[in-house]
Amino acid sequence: MLHIDNLSATVADKPILKGLSLTVNAGEIHAIMGPNGAGKSTLAYTLGGRPGYDVTGGTATLDGQDILALAPHERAAAGLFLGFQYPVEIPGVSFVQFLRESANAQRKSRGEAPLSGGEFLKLAREKAGLLRMDMDMLKRPVNVGFSGGEKKRAEMVQMGILDPSLAVLDETDSGLDIDALRIVGEGINAIMRKPDKAVLLITHYQRLLDYVKPDFVHVLAGGRIVKSGGPELAHQLEEHGYEAVAA
Amino acid sequence: MTALALPTRRDEAFRYADLDALAPLWPLAPEIIEVAAGATGALAIVADGSAAQARELAITVADGGSFDLRVLNVGRAYGRIAVTVTLGKAAQFHIGAAQLGGGEQVLELVTEVRHAAPDAVSRQVVRSVLGGHATGTYLGKVAVARGADGTDAGQSVRAMLLTRTATANARPELEIYADDVKCEHGCAVGELDAAGLFYLESRGLPPELAKRLMLQAFIAEAFTGAADEDVLTEAALSALEALL
Ligand SMILES: Nc1ncnc2c1ncn2[C@@H]1O[C@H](COP(=O)(O)OP(=O)(O)O)[C@@H](O)[C@H]1O
Ligand SMILES: [Mg+2]
């Protein structure tokens, strides 16, 4: 599904990703762990096409399509979803308003009929329920006044509504208390644990992986994948630290 | 200024005015609005249409009174709204204004808010969206008289330029002769928040739709809380559509 080959990228002209390669097949969940500043968010943003994150080498394809050549909204229509480490607050624009337009823009580009207002609200209510989020919160301006945990749950509600084939989730577990962690973990499983979908789960900690069991775990350090393994690698990292395990 | 002689650009309040467009309208007859002590008043001005227009309002709000003024300045030619407000003790004044222009439009909002007595509150929210070769100006003077302690004056003035050829002038000015005064200035000419735009686009919203949503939210701030908020906002949004 996702093939990243020898990807290099700069942020504000500073080289951060330095020849990163990774393959994620449909039906798989991959965890990416790594120390602060390793380039995890840079990987997420580069895949998402954030301005300022410039690809200087290598390739990334999603279902065979060169996603690096696409605009951010086209990447979303191609099936990519980015869960933000720091979801952005947008005063005056409500979730339901922009998500319906987003979903319909995606559908249009795939030649599908748009969702009516009623259909969209039904879908949104269902996904909000999955994440135990009050539907009223989705009528409020995007992330404004939300707690850290609410923002992360709202990210997952959006993922549920947009139904991507590949989700890149950047520290979705940070800022969550134990209960919210379980709800978010179960939400990720319910939405993405499917044979035709895949997840790239960027995290610092083992704890989310207790709920969302990864098939593979990778260590990202210095802008590259320096070690890959199964779920046991996450436990080793937790126990012995990045330096000992990835050295 | 005298009522008869056409002002010149040396007049601070006419620095950016389109004097050629103003000449046939001159002299202007000020519209007088008086709010009695403890009373409330409101006015919404929608300056659209194709002819040049210039209006002058002189508003007096007596002790404990309040006045809510909303302005949508979207005329297709020159549009100038000048407002002078004099506030009594503990009086309140709110202006929410949006100016949207493209082409060669010249739009101006000139305010002078005089806090003549203690404890009055004034709020000014001005949002401009300018494209083409349009010029949007806000000149806003807040004058706090001697003894007008407890004054609370706020100005939030923001402009978005859709093209590099559009111009925004924003000049808040404070003249304070009292102590214990709270005046907040916010003044910015800029572009839409890039992080917000990327967030919306990452969900699949094409850039032009993402921009439109953010501009709509930006303009709507001028009409928040107005009695006819929905009507004004809708009129502003259709003016926005003409610019995009
Ligand atoms: N906007 C930016 N401008 C300059 N440097 C940046 C910017 N964003 C991130 N960096 C740098 O890029 C490196 C990787 O950051 P990031 O990808 O956020 O790491 P991680 O998510 O793994 O903690 C860090 O050294 C960070 O300081
Ligand atoms: Mg990060």
Side-chain angles (χ1 to χ4, degrees):
Chain A
M1 172 169 286
L2 174 69
H3 285 281
I4 304 174
D5 188 29
N6 207 19
L7 182 64
S8 296
T10 59
V11 183
D13 294 327
K14 184 172 147 196
I16 304 294
L17 299 184
K18 300 168 184 169
L20 185 146
S21 296
L22 181 68
T23 294
V24 179
N25 295 307
E28 293 176 352
I29 291 179
H30 290 235
I32 294 197
M33 306 180 80
N36 271 327
K40 301 184 298 297
S41 292
T42 301
L43 172 62
Y45 285 140
T46 303
L47 291 174
R50 182 173 188 147
Y53 291 72
D54 297 321
V55 174
T56 49
T59 59
T61 61
L62 179 60
D63 292 324
Q65 195 176 7
D66 173 13
I67 52 165
L68 300 180
L70 303 177
H73 70 288
E74 296 168 333
R75 300 183 195 203
L80 176 69
F81 178 85
L82 202 57
F84 283 63
Q85 182 175 3
Y86 303 108
V88 183
E89 298 187 7
I90 308 179
V93 176
S94 79
F95 278 109
V96 283
Q97 186 186 9
F98 102 85
L99 284 172
R100 184 175 164 218
E101 286 198 40
S102 300
N104 281 340
Q106 287 197 26
R107 294 174 71 91
K108 188 174 173 195
S109 74
R110 294 192 294 255
E112 299 164 15
L115 295 172
S116 71
E119 286 167 334
F120 175 79
L121 284 178
K122 184 163 172 274
L123 178 67
R125 190 168 287 116
E126 179 199 323
K127 302 306 175 187
L130 202 58
L131 274 300
R132 319 276 165 83
M133 177 159 262
D134 192 341
M135 187 61 191
D136 284 344
M137 294 192 69
L138 295 184
K139 294 178 179 154
R140 292 186 9 202
V142 176
N143 294 315
V144 177
F146 282 36
S147 71
E150 287 167 343
K151 286 179 181 167
K152 296 306 177 74
R153 273 196 279 165
E155 292 289 290
M156 296 303 95
V157 175
Q158 294 175 62
M159 181 172 77
I161 292 170
L162 296 171
D163 194 29
S165 50
L166 174 71
V168 177
L169 306 182
D170 191 2
E171 299 205 24
T172 297
D173 51 347
S174 66
L176 297 180
D177 61 28
I178 295 293
D179 291 335
L181 188 67
R182 182 176 47 77
I183 292 167
V184 162
E186 288 169 0
I188 295 171
N189 288 329
I191 297 163
M192 298 302 295
R193 207 17 137 178
K194 298 190 174 152
D196 57 344
K197 294 184 186 293
V199 179
L200 207 54
L201 202 61
I202 295 170
T203 181
H204 256 311
Y205 306 104
Q206 161 64 30
R207 51 181 208 161
L208 178 64
L209 304 181
D210 291 337
Y211 296 101
V212 185
K213 302 257 189 275
D215 302 292
F216 299 92
V217 175
H218 310 275
V219 180
L220 200 171
R224 319 177 51 179
I225 302 293
V226 295
K227 195 175 175 84
S228 297
E232 74 289 345
L233 180 55
H235 290 283
Q236 289 170 23
L237 290 168
E238 185 102 324
E239 217 169 302
H240 306 294
Y242 294 113
E243 278 185 30
V245 175
Chain B
M1 85 196 81
T2 68
L4 290 175
L6 186 68
T8 70
R9 296 228 168 201
R10 251 171 276 158
D11 271 299
E12 182 56 33
F14 292 87
R15 231 184 128 91
Y16 302 103
D18 181 345
L19 295 174
D20 292 339
L22 191 61
L25 305 172
W26 201 261
L28 305 176
E31 301 161 51
I32 312 283
I33 296 173
E34 287 175 345
V35 180
T40 58
L43 176 68
I45 295 176
V46 177
D48 50 8
S50 50
Q53 49 189 315
R55 286 175 74 165
E56 272 191 27
L57 275 66
I59 304 170
T60 309
V61 186
D63 296 356
S66 73
F67 195 76
D68 184 319
L69 176 64
R70 307 288 170 149
V71 175
L72 176 58
N73 200 10
V74 292
R76 260 152 286 161
Y78 177 53
R80 174 187 173 91
I81 313 274
V83 187
T84 306
V85 185
T86 306
L87 297 174
K89 186 172 162 46
Q92 298 191 20
F93 173 70
H94 182 110
I95 178 172
Q99 312 200 89
L100 295 97
E104 304 290 329
Q105 273 167 273
V106 177
L107 302 170
E108 313 189 79
L109 178 68
V110 181
T111 66
E112 179 169 342
V113 178
R114 301 178 188 140
H115 285 254
D119 300 327
V121 178
S122 66
R123 290 282 175 272
Q124 304 188 54
V125 178
V126 181
R127 300 287 177 264
S128 302
V129 177
L130 303 161
H133 289 82
T135 301
T137 295
Y138 166 79
L139 303 175
K141 181 169 172 180
V142 174
V144 182
R146 202 161 269 114
D149 294 338
T151 286
D152 180 356
Q155 283 166 293
S156 164
V157 179
R158 293 173 64 201
M160 294 287 173
L161 303 180
L162 301 179
T163 57
R164 300 206 178 271
T165 46
T167 307
N169 303 303
R171 298 182 143 243
E173 191 188 337
L174 287 175
E175 197 181 272
I176 302 177
Y177 294 104
D179 308 317
D180 180 25
V181 165
K182 190 175 141 209
C183 291
E184 276 177 28
H185 268 318
C187 193
V189 176
E191 292 168 11
L192 294 169
D193 177 39
L197 281 174
F198 174 67
Y199 188 80
L200 296 177
E201 289 171 30
S202 78
R203 299 315 189 221
L205 209 57
E208 59 278 10
L209 290 182
K211 276 190 195 125
R212 171 178 282 131
L213 275 185
M214 289 184 68
L215 284 171
Q216 288 175 345
F218 172 75
I219 293 164
E221 290 172 353
F223 303 121
T224 306
D228 29 16
E229 177 172 348
D230 292 349
V231 177
L232 287 168
T233 304
E234 209 162 293
L237 296 190
S238 67
L240 175 65
E241 287 309 303
L243 291 184
L244 295 176

